[in-house]
Amino acid sequence: MSQPPPPPNQPPQQPGFGPPQEPSEPQQPAPPAPAGPDLSKAPQPGYGYPQAPGTPPPVAPPTPAQGPGYGYPQQAPQPQPPAGYGYPAQQPGPYGQPGPYGQPQQPGPYGQQPPYGYSQPTVPMQAQAAQQGGGRKVNAQVAIIVSAVVAIALIVGAGVWYSSSSGKDDDKQTTAEGGDTKGGDGKEGGGSGDGGATTGEAKEKAPAATGSKVLFQVPAPKVPKGTTSIPTSGSWLTDSVYAKSGLSEITGYDRETGTKKWTLDLPGPVCTATPHVTEDKKTAIVYKPGMPTKEDPRSCTEVAVIDLEAGTKVWSKNAKSGTMPVSFNNVTLSGGTVAAGSTSGGAAWDLATGDERWAPKTSDSCYDAGYGGGAKLVAVRKCGSYDQRQLHIQNVDPKTGDVISEYKMDEGIEYAAVVSTDPLVVAADVGDTAGDGSGISDFFSIDNKTGKLRARLSAPGDEFAARCDGIYKVENCTGVTVGNDRLYIATEEHDSGGESYSQTNEVVSFDLATGRQTGQRADAGVDYEIYPLRMDGPNVIAYKRPPYDKGGQVVSIDGGSFKQTVLMENPSTEAVRDVETRMLPDYAEILYGQGGLYMSSVYASDFTSKEKEYAVIAFGTG
């Protein structure tokens, strides 16, 4: 079992289980250096992965000087507020931290604590060992199986608890346009996206005035009596609509005013959704056929395509494995196909018509646990018995399911997440060595055409802050994005240096062809945390989580120079910060586009307080 991470804005308490370190040179006196990842060393191979024959270990070139790094002017030590950098004092602790009011939590994947009402399917125990190879037959539809599935529905608690440290319910305070807009390093220059290949020019430009105002907020919905928590996964942006899932509906809001443009009622909550949106504004969701109760939590069996402009359901389908409806864990879009995966296998439908393209077959010895979408359709296919699992990363034809190329991971790796489909990058926790619940110890850059491994990137959990849910939501990764044939990743927080208690982190990049760090580094600034959100042409859009007395920022990082340009600075008023800082980047959905920042929670819970609780907060400039 992996260990829970340190509390927010605190440095790691002990080293993680990273790869072996290089032999040390004879000790020489050296000046003190700030804590944090060694950004100058070459990445080391992850555990359990053989080097390519005849390939010497990569050696990283000396890292060039990159702007102001750990040497920022330091602040004098000051007593910290009880909540700590804007965090709620009793916020439930994901990844194994105690929940509110001392409630015991059930262990989740990688030691995480699943939020209330999250029904977790168990990994199936295969009745027979997989045949060697385990791939699909050429020109045959995808065949997926589950031999014996043990389904356990758990309703446990770790939902996000909203409260206002100001102790006031005045909406005017949470929609204030004022506030200090001097955040971070204060320099000009200096959704979740698809994380795919870089195309076109950057679209996001800095406004004349970067100071933002709150455009609107959506109150957190009240869950039905007797229900502890309900998922509200799914949020999307179009040119005119911000759409967000509720308890048993999806609502489209005017991007500027928050006025409801449409509401699509559903029989049950949305379990999971793809972040991808087609050119004609369609997306896909998985939802429950009824509202969950303590006696019947319901399964996530229904797959639907939603028109985000019209607010209508284009079609809704389900699939069966034998005679039982499949409960899907993930869904995605690619090439005119909707594909959904699960521990019972995968299925796919024509995006326009809903016609079935493939479904699970009980005669197969492998099954598609999940799919990554966008530019390509990539299947994470599981073969073999539970104690001899092998993952096949397959680039598949979205029309037929035929395998175009395949990379077989080493046996013993249980889960993998798809970070990008073009270029193809997957993440895995090799040998459970990440040690921090992130689900990542290594990234794998794979050639889409041949299925050959291009490079392996070691990302020890104690040095890098990206997270992936390779167990269920295969393309759900945060703190990392891909473009320019590079991987951009957030480092873990560490001391800024000097005698202060300040913390900071960086975004650094790896070359996907060589696996080496490029030397590029974008610093968050004292007491800020920076998270890459998505690509914008050749540039990286990143969110800076603020310290307790400032508002957050959105920046664009130039893909060539790595120079930062501030696109947005949020108000620093207390009531605004109280809502913003509860939208943790690792768990909330954060979308930025056309000068608008939209932050939303992914669960509604029955936690109650005297303060107003919000499911969405939206910021805009201009």
Side-chain angles (χ1 to χ4, degrees):
M1 293 295 292
S2 55
Q3 298 299 315
N9 288 323
Q10 296 297 323
Q13 300 301 313
Q14 61 183 8
F17 299 97
Q21 301 299 316
E22 304 236 0
S24 58
E25 298 291 335
Q27 295 185 357
Q28 299 290 338
D38 183 353
L39 302 177
S40 64
K41 71 180 181 182
Q44 303 299 315
Y47 288 121
Y49 282 84
Q51 295 282 357
T55 302
V59 179
T63 304
Q66 299 291 330
Y70 301 147
Y72 277 92
Q74 305 302 316
Q75 301 173 351
Q78 297 178 359
Q80 300 301 313
Y85 301 103
Y87 279 72
Q90 293 182 323
Q91 183 163 346
Y95 292 98
Q97 299 176 24
Y101 311 113
Q103 288 182 304
Q105 305 298 315
Q106 296 291 334
Y110 295 113
Q112 302 173 28
Q113 307 304 322
Y116 282 113
Y118 191 85
S119 300
Q120 298 195 44
T122 57
V123 178
M125 300 291 291
Q126 300 296 329
Q128 57 183 6
Q131 299 173 0
Q132 289 296 323
R136 300 177 180 80
K137 295 181 179 180
V138 178
N139 296 325
Q141 287 187 328
V142 175
I144 302 135
I145 115 167
V146 59
S147 301
V149 178
V150 181
I152 302 177
L154 300 176
I155 301 180
V156 289
V160 176
W161 173 56
Y162 294 93
S163 68
S164 170
S165 61
S166 65
K168 297 181 180 180
D169 285 336
D170 187 356
D171 277 340
K172 293 181 180 179
Q173 293 199 34
T174 58
T175 56
E177 298 183 17
D180 181 10
T181 57
K182 297 178 181 178
D185 50 30
K187 293 184 179 181
E188 284 295 325
S192 302
D194 60 12
T198 302
T199 56
E201 297 181 357
K203 296 179 180 179
E204 307 295 350
K205 307 297 181 183
T210 58
S212 72
K213 64 180 180 180
V214 176
L215 298 176
F216 62 90
Q217 296 160 114
V218 177
K222 295 184 181 297
V223 300
K225 186 177 180 180
T227 303
T228 52
S229 183
I230 289 179
T232 56
S233 297
S235 58
W236 307 268
L237 279 178
T238 72
D239 291 339
S240 60
V241 172
Y242 168 72
K244 173 63 186 172
S245 297
L247 293 184
S248 59
E249 74 281 332
I250 300 174
T251 302
Y253 301 92
D254 182 280
R255 286 187 50 152
E256 297 294 329
T257 65
T259 303
K260 289 184 180 181
K261 301 187 73 170
W262 50 261
T263 297
L264 173 63
D265 292 324
L266 298 169
V270 174
C271 304
T272 187
T274 179
H276 302 297
V277 177
T278 65
E279 290 185 2
D280 60 350
K281 313 309 177 190
K282 304 294 195 309
T283 193
I285 63 171
V286 174
Y287 66 96
K288 296 186 176 184
M291 291 301 292
T293 64
K294 184 178 295 186
E295 294 74 22
D296 183 6
R298 300 280 190 159
S299 296
C300 302
T301 57
E302 309 305 303
V303 177
V305 167
I306 306 300
D307 186 322
L308 295 171
E309 287 292 343
T312 58
K313 184 162 54 177
V314 180
W315 54 258
S316 180
K317 301 286 183 177
N318 54 37
K320 291 184 178 180
S321 176
T323 60
M324 297 296 294
V326 175
S327 182
F328 292 106
N329 300 324
N330 56 79
V331 66
T332 196
L333 301 174
S334 182
T337 291
V338 177
S342 76
T343 55
S344 297
W349 301 266
D350 183 280
L351 191 152
T353 65
D355 292 341
E356 186 177 280
R357 288 189 166 164
W358 63 80
K361 290 184 178 180
T362 56
S363 60
D364 201 355
S365 58
C366 301
Y367 67 94
D368 288 0
Y371 300 94
K376 306 285 186 182
L377 183 62
V378 172
V380 177
R381 189 166 174 82
K382 292 193 174 186
C383 295
S385 60
Y386 180 70
D387 57 348
Q388 289 184 312
R389 183 81 70 215
Q390 185 176 42
L391 301 184
H392 298 189
I393 308 301
Q394 298 179 332
N395 177 18
V396 302
D397 185 322
K399 304 293 185 184
T400 65
D402 293 344
V403 178
I404 298 171
S405 65
E406 178 180 73
Y407 173 72
K408 296 180 182 179
M409 305 190 80
D410 282 3
E411 288 187 7
I413 300 176
E414 290 293 325
Y415 310 103
V418 180
V419 182
S420 167
T421 61
D422 187 20
L424 178 53
V425 179
V426 299
D429 186 358
V430 182
D432 294 326
T433 57
D436 63 346
S438 66
I440 304 171
S441 67
D442 296 82
F443 292 93
F444 300 82
S445 172
I446 301 167
D447 188 289
N448 248 320
K449 294 182 180 179
T450 65
K452 293 182 179 180
L453 182 67
R454 299 176 64 201
R456 183 175 63 254
L457 293 65
S458 178
D462 61 337
E463 294 185 15
F464 297 96
R467 294 182 182 276
C468 288
D469 182 0
I471 298 180
Y472 301 120
K473 300 181 180 181
V474 168
E475 61 178 4
N476 182 13
C477 293
T478 60
V480 62
T481 191
V482 172
N484 304 319
D485 207 34
R486 293 181 177 181
L487 180 139
Y488 301 95
I489 184 172
T491 68
E492 286 285 3
E493 264 200 311
H494 54 81
D495 292 338
S496 296
E499 298 180 355
S500 76
Y501 296 108
S502 61
Q503 299 274 292
T504 191
N505 80 322
E506 303 78 29
V507 170
V508 298
S509 69
F510 286 82
D511 188 311
L512 292 176
T514 66
R516 299 175 182 174
Q517 288 190 33
T518 66
Q520 292 178 316
R521 186 178 76 196
D523 296 288
V526 174
D527 280 336
Y528 281 78
E529 271 187 281
I530 188 169
Y531 294 82
L533 297 178
R534 63 174 176 87
M535 298 303 298
D536 174 32
N539 299 340
V540 179
I541 300 298
Y543 172 71
K544 286 188 177 182
R545 180 172 170 78
Y548 72 93
D549 59 346
K550 297 215 169 70
Q553 294 184 341
V554 177
V555 298
S556 176
I557 305 171
D558 186 277
S561 67
F562 243 47
K563 177 182 178 181
Q564 296 182 50
T565 299
V566 176
L567 302 177
M568 174 180 288
E569 298 176 274
N570 293 337
S572 62
T573 54
E574 185 178 41
V576 175
R577 296 197 320 267
D578 286 340
V579 180
E580 179 181 2
T581 55
R582 283 168 176 76
M583 302 294 182
L584 303 180
D586 279 336
Y587 314 107
E589 294 173 341
I590 302 178
L591 304 178
Y592 178 84
Q594 301 176 26
L597 174 67
Y598 303 83
M599 309 177 76
S600 64
S601 59
V602 294
Y603 284 91
S605 73
D606 67 348
F607 291 126
T608 58
S609 72
K610 295 180 180 179
E611 318 304 335
K612 282 199 172 181
E613 302 169 358
Y614 294 94
V616 176
I617 185 168
F619 299 90
T621 56

